[in-house]
Amino acid sequence: MQITTTGLVLRATKTGEADRVLSILTPDLGVISAIAKGSLRLKSKLFSATGLFCYSEFTLFEGKTMYVVDAAGVKEVFWGVHQSVEGMALGMYFAEFASTLSPAGEEARQVLRLLLNCFYYLGEKKRPPRLVKAIFELRALSLTGFMPSIVACADCVKYEGGPFYFDVDTGRLLCAECAARRGLQPNLDEAALKALRHIVLCEGRDLFRFSLSDESCRRLGGVAQAYVMQCLDKPFKTQEFLDTILS
C-alpha cells in the first residue's frame, strides 16, 4: 500500500553502500522507520529530501520490517541549524527527545509543528538557544501528558508576587513563603514564572512571543531540564555534549 505523508527526519543512518535508514516524525503515523535506498548517491532523487533534519513530503510503501521511501521532495532544510555546532547539538537533542516521547495521533501532529517552529527559531537565530530548548522541553511535555499544575501555589493559592518554587517531583508551584516552610528555596523569579505559564498554557501561535533576561532564562532552563529528567526518567545521550556547548 502506498502512503503519502510529510515528516521531519530525526535520524539518518548509513546502511550498505549507499542506503539510509531514517527515523521520521510524521503528523499522521507518529515516529516511523523507513529505508531510503540509494539516497546517499549524489545523483539520487532522494539525496536532499532524506538528509538529517529535512522536512519533506514522502511517498512510502510498507515493507516487512519498515517503510520504504519511493519518492521524497524537500519542503524545508533548516540550513541555519546545520551551520553551527550549537545548532546541531540542539537539533540532535530535540530529535532524541521527540523519539523518546514517540507521540501518536493528534500529539504527533502537535509535536511535529512545535519541533518545526523550534528549528526555525533556532536556525534563524530569532531566540537564544537556551530559551528555544526550554520552550521545546516544557511545551512538548505538556502536549504529551506531562502538563504541570502552574496556575497558583499548591498550598495557599497565591498567584503572583515575588519568586516561586517549582517542584519537579509533583509538577506544582509553591510561593516563597510556602516553600520556606518546607525548607525549599525559590527557583523561579517573576519573569521566569510568567514565561513558564506562557509556554505551557498559551495558544500555539503565541508560543515564541516573549523574551527573557539571561538570568531568568537560566532559571527557567534549569527547571525545564530537571522536569524532563523527572518525567521521562532517562538520561539523553545527547545531553552531556549539549551541556558543554551551552555552558
Side-chain angles (χ1 to χ4, degrees), residues 3 5-13 15 20-26 28-37 50 58-70 99 102-103:
I3 300 169
T5 185
T6 57
L8 180 70
V9 178
L10 302 178
R11 187 170 62 250
T13 306
T15 183
R20 285 183 176 124
V21 173
L22 311 176
S23 178
I24 308 170
L25 174 59
T26 72
D28 39 13
L29 303 171
V31 179
I32 63 170
S33 295
I35 187 166
K37 296 181 178 180
T50 57
F58 296 94
T59 300
L60 308 167
F61 288 97
E62 286 193 69
K64 291 182 179 179
T65 58
M66 67 180 71
Y67 289 94
V68 178
V69 180
D70 183 59
S99 295
S102 193

Side-chain angles (χ1 to χ4, degrees), residues 5-150:
T5 185
T6 57
L8 180 70
V9 178
L10 302 178
R11 187 170 62 250
T13 306
K14 180 182 177 181
T15 183
E17 291 186 4
D19 302 340
R20 285 183 176 124
V21 173
L22 311 176
S23 178
I24 308 170
L25 174 59
T26 72
D28 39 13
L29 303 171
V31 179
I32 63 170
S33 295
I35 187 166
K37 296 181 178 180
S39 60
L40 283 172
R41 296 190 178 96
L42 293 178
K43 293 183 179 181
S44 171
K45 294 180 180 179
L46 302 179
F47 180 79
S48 296
T50 57
L52 185 63
F53 305 149
C54 282
Y55 177 53
S56 303
E57 183 173 78
F58 296 94
T59 300
L60 308 167
F61 288 97
E62 286 193 69
K64 291 182 179 179
T65 58
M66 67 180 71
Y67 289 94
V68 178
V69 180
D70 183 59
V74 175
K75 295 177 74 68
E76 182 60 61
V77 179
F78 299 109
W79 288 118
V81 174
H82 289 268
Q83 289 172 349
S84 71
V85 174
E86 191 175 65
M88 286 298 292
L90 259 178
M92 295 298 291
Y93 174 78
F94 289 162
E96 185 180 7
F97 197 120
S99 295
T100 299
L101 289 175
S102 193
E106 178 63 16
E107 290 181 0
R109 186 186 66 80
Q110 292 181 331
V111 171
L112 175 59
R113 183 171 61 185
L114 170 64
L115 194 50
L116 293 173
N117 284 333
C118 286
F119 271 88
Y120 168 76
Y121 276 87
L122 179 62
E124 296 298 319
K125 297 180 173 58
K126 290 182 175 291
R127 292 293 185 278
R130 280 188 176 276
L131 183 56
V132 177
K133 179 176 182 285
I135 290 172
F136 178 76
E137 290 170 329
L138 292 166
R139 188 72 172 192
L141 288 175
S142 297
L143 290 172
T144 54
F146 299 100
M147 181 181 287
S149 178
I150 54 171

Side-chain angles (χ1 to χ4, degrees), residues 146-168:
F146 299 100
M147 181 181 287
S149 178
I150 54 171
V151 174
C153 173
D155 285 358
C156 72
V157 203
K158 180 179 180 180
Y159 176 75
E160 60 186 359
F164 272 65
Y165 176 79
F166 179 71
D167 186 346
V168 298

